[in-house]
Amino acid sequence: MVTRVFKSGNSQAVRLPKELRVDAEELEITRHGDTLILRPVVRPGSLAGAFDALAQMGDDFLPAGREQGEPQEREAL
């Protein structure tokens, strides 16, 4: 799919085709080399932001697993 880049005031803009519409008021833009990534902005207080962060973790996160000691003995509440 191809779209045109045009000028809107002092900014560049693109028109998203109908097939790529998003249900969001704002988009976050990140650049990875020549690639631009548009994602809906998730406001704090929503678990969606936490799930997005977890989904972005690569396979190399904690490759040796999680090392932790034995559970502590604690007094019941």
Side-chain angles (χ1 to χ4, degrees), residues 4-68:
R4 294 189 181 266
V5 176
F6 60 95
K7 202 164 183 190
S8 176
N10 288 328
S11 300
Q12 282 188 321
V14 295
R15 192 168 276 123
L16 296 176
K18 184 177 182 178
E19 299 83 22
L20 297 176
R21 285 186 183 165
V22 295
D23 185 23
E25 294 280 324
E26 296 178 300
L27 296 174
E28 173 187 7
I29 304 171
T30 54
R31 179 189 298 258
H32 291 278
D34 289 340
T35 303
L36 297 177
I37 300 170
L38 304 174
R39 295 185 325 171
V41 172
V42 178
R43 294 288 171 207
S46 161
L47 284 179
F51 288 120
D52 286 345
L54 289 172
Q56 290 179 15
M57 289 184 187
D59 293 336
D60 60 344
F61 180 73
L62 294 176
R66 193 172 151 198
E67 297 176 21
Q68 67 184 57

